[in-house]
Amino acid sequence: MEALTEKMYQDMGIDPKVCAYGEKIWDSLKDRWAEIDALSEYNQMKVIKAMQKNKVSEACLLGTTGYGYNDLGRETLERVYADIFHTENALVRPQSTCGTHALALALMSNLRPGDELLSPVGKPYDTLEEVIGIRPSRGSLKEYGISYRQVDLLGDGGFDFEAIKEAINEKTRLVTIQRSKGYQTRPTLSVERIGELIAFIKKIKPEVICMVDNCYGEFTQEMEPSDVGADLVVGSLIKNPGGGLAPIGGYLAGKKECIENAACRLTSPGLGREVGASLHALGPFYQGLFLAPSVTANALKAAIFAANVYESLGFSVVPNGKEPRYDIIQAVTFGNPEGVIAFCQGIQQAAPVDGYVTPEPWDMPGYDSPVIMAAGAFVSGSSIELSADGPIRPPYSVYFQGGLTWQHGKFGIMKTLQKLVEKGIIIKDFDKRNL
Ligand SMILES: *Cc1c(COP(=O)(O)O)cnc(C)c1O
């Protein structure tokens, strides 16, 4: 490390021992960085190619008001998304407010009363439980007479093909596959594994719609689930594809039929995709998408760095320091509340916004134990920005993600290590460990 940079770390409250330890780990990961740079190089060109092909122009960045008929920028952006995901069509709008909303839209518009939804990969993301009606909720699919079936993953994380085959019946209309582990301990699914699962399902029932919840997975591989047979991929613009700039939004990309259904539900039957003013969202949508491959790569680097730092100190980490990555989330288990709290406070202290705030655990609505969250984000609640949170309950794990720049991610992890050392949670002579 350059002497000037080292001095800067010191000025920012990082002890030279902590700094040297982190740097040693960072240096040991050069091969991983090269791999990730190659990934983002490919995805960067994929995005530029789609933008050039669709003749993105200055006029596309302007946006419309009122009804938003003939919104050139909106229509072009949707074609750009469709080309990146290699799908027939896409719906990318500020009116679909977040990932949950986009997923709900996809489900509610493509299922009809009497249909059944199947998740062959276990329990879906928390917020979808109420959409589906697993937890009773106003307006859920269940209220509309749409049933739900679930097949859990096997103990080793594999697909339970036998049970999946049995679960598919004459009512099964849509299969939802969550790519990221989210806040569970199961492995994240690679695009290749998703492809295997879709092929298996289509062999049993070809007309079933295969949807992938793509949240946190975009641009972490060269391919997307729509390249391996998914009829519909759905995600949040406040995560990877928004590149940290999109201030709101969700996207759907997929078969024309599926997207038309969603558009008619988002606006109104008859109006469909023809209305929906883009206001001032298009500039950040385009620019965020342009930055997304590189921002996602930075978040991947931060996650790998965190895994290797904490694994080397003897903590359990998922994924581990060596595994390939299919999303940007990193879990670290501390085994005690103090570790979770110190980690989150360290992340907060590294933030460019609200860096002076000290987060504390609190009883958040909807959770059965206190939760601590660190987020000093430019876009409120954005988890492509450096952030961490953890429920205060055994096994006391923290979930860490994001980092618009790898330098920020690296600094954030250095800060967490500093905090843990200061609080005596990490053994005194940690820096003497043989790496
Ligand atoms: C974040 C997330 C969602 C929900 O997205 P929001 O933008 O937070 O509403 C759904 N599924 C998965 C796997 C997620 O990670």
Side-chain angles (χ1 to χ4, degrees):
M1 186 182 284
E2 295 288 326
L4 259 182
T5 310
E6 203 175 336
K7 167 81 171 41
M8 182 62 92
Y9 270 108
Q10 269 190 57
D11 288 351
M12 299 291 282
I14 310 284
D15 190 88
K17 270 186 182 176
V18 169
C19 191
Y21 188 80
E23 193 62 11
K24 205 156 41 165
I25 301 265
W26 185 267
D27 282 340
S28 73
L29 295 168
K30 294 264 154 74
D31 291 348
R32 292 299 290 281
W33 303 157
E35 251 171 60
I36 291 171
D37 288 341
L39 166 76
S40 67
E41 187 174 352
Y42 175 82
N43 282 327
Q44 180 72 79
M45 285 194 281
K46 180 156 75 169
V47 170
I48 295 173
K49 187 178 173 200
M51 288 187 174
Q52 291 189 347
K53 181 185 160 203
N54 290 292
K55 298 199 161 54
V56 173
S57 64
E58 204 177 341
C60 290
L61 308 177
L62 293 177
T64 55
T65 58
Y67 293 100
Y69 292 125
N70 304 314
D71 187 323
L72 174 72
R74 180 190 71 211
E75 287 167 8
T76 305
L77 180 67
E78 290 177 339
R79 284 202 304 273
V80 168
Y81 263 76
D83 281 340
I84 288 169
F85 287 97
H86 304 119
T87 55
E88 291 172 5
N89 221 328
L91 195 67
V92 188
R93 311 246 167 158
Q95 288 84 8
S96 57
T97 52
C98 61
T100 305
H101 186 187
L103 286 157
L105 192 60
L107 294 172
M108 297 188 157
S109 62
N110 283 290
L111 289 160
R112 295 289 180 273
D115 286 346
E116 187 161 276
L117 168 68
L118 170 69
S119 170
V121 297
K123 189 185 91 61
Y125 195 75
D126 273 45
T127 55
L128 288 176
E129 290 187 9
E130 288 189 78
V131 171
I132 295 167
I134 300 172
R135 276 186 283 146
S137 192
R138 189 192 299 273
S140 69
L141 292 173
K142 195 172 175 196
E143 277 195 350
Y144 286 87
I146 295 157
S147 56
Y148 170 71
R149 207 177 276 263
Q150 177 177 314
V151 176
D152 289 336
L153 293 170
L154 296 170
D156 64 357
F159 302 125
D160 190 344
F161 288 113
E162 206 54 43
I164 293 169
K165 190 171 176 189
E166 232 160 81
I168 296 173
N169 58 59
E170 71 289 349
K171 286 170 65 183
T172 312
R173 168 96 185 112
L174 197 151
V175 172
T176 179
I177 301 166
Q178 185 179 309
R179 179 173 177 182
S180 167
K181 65 185 171 305
Y183 301 111
Q184 298 175 63
T185 46
R186 72 155 167 95
T188 288
L189 302 177
S190 66
V191 167
E192 292 77 6
R193 287 193 66 207
I194 291 172
E196 254 175 71
L197 180 58
I198 292 175
F200 178 79
I201 290 164
K202 294 267 182 185
K203 222 156 81 188
I204 299 167
K205 191 167 182 183
E207 69 274 24
V208 83
I209 299 168
C210 288
M211 179 187 95
V212 174
D213 174 351
N214 211 20
C215 283
Y216 285 133
E218 299 90 351
F219 302 122
T220 61
Q221 294 187 258
E222 282 85 355
M223 284 196 303
E224 297 291 340
S226 40
D227 293 316
V228 294
D231 301 299
L232 193 52
V233 291
V234 183
S236 172
L237 298 192
I238 312 167
K239 295 178 181 169
N240 308 13
L245 293 186
I248 190 171
Y251 75 89
L252 297 85
K255 292 258 163 69
K256 186 165 183 291
E257 187 67 15
C258 297
I259 299 296
E260 290 297 332
N261 281 338
C264 288
R265 173 84 192 205
L266 175 64
T267 64
S268 141
L271 298 182
R273 53 188 312 134
E274 301 303 318
V275 298
S278 49
L279 305 173
H280 301 295
L282 289 173
F285 278 11
Y286 277 106
Q287 198 174 358
L289 178 63
F290 171 75
L291 292 175
S294 160
V295 166
T296 303
N298 292 334
L300 284 171
K301 287 182 183 176
I304 292 168
F305 179 53
N308 282 278
V309 165
Y310 284 99
E311 191 171 46
S312 73
L313 293 166
F315 296 98
S316 140
V317 295
V318 180
N320 71 34
K322 302 248 158 10
E323 283 175 83
R325 303 256 155 181
Y326 309 121
D327 69 13
I328 63 167
I329 301 177
Q330 180 62 47
V332 183
T333 299
F334 288 105
N336 55 60
E338 294 76 26
V340 174
I341 294 169
F343 186 99
C344 289
Q345 292 182 343
I347 292 295
Q348 188 75 37
Q349 284 189 353
V353 179
D354 291 337
Y356 58 89
V357 170
T358 305
E360 299 281 353
W362 63 299
D363 288 307
M364 249 177 88
Y367 290 82
D368 55 5
S369 53
V371 179
I372 183 166
M373 295 195 162
F378 294 101
V379 171
S380 182
S382 167
S383 49
I384 185 64
E385 298 187 48
L386 196 69
S387 49
D389 48 62
I392 305 300
R393 62 162 184 248
Y396 301 105
S397 298
V398 76
Y399 296 90
F400 159 82
Q401 69 267 310
L404 296 184
T405 69
W406 63 257
Q407 292 91 341
H408 184 208
K410 186 178 178 187
F411 173 53
I413 292 303
M414 294 272 206
K415 266 287 190 201
T416 64
L417 187 53
Q418 178 71 34
K419 268 274 170 203
L420 284 148
V421 170
E422 279 170 13
K423 298 234 164 139
I425 297 162
I426 284 176
I427 50 153
K428 226 165 144 199
D429 291 326
F430 74 94
D431 58 312
K432 303 283 183 331
R433 279 172 176 252
N434 263 332
L435 292 179

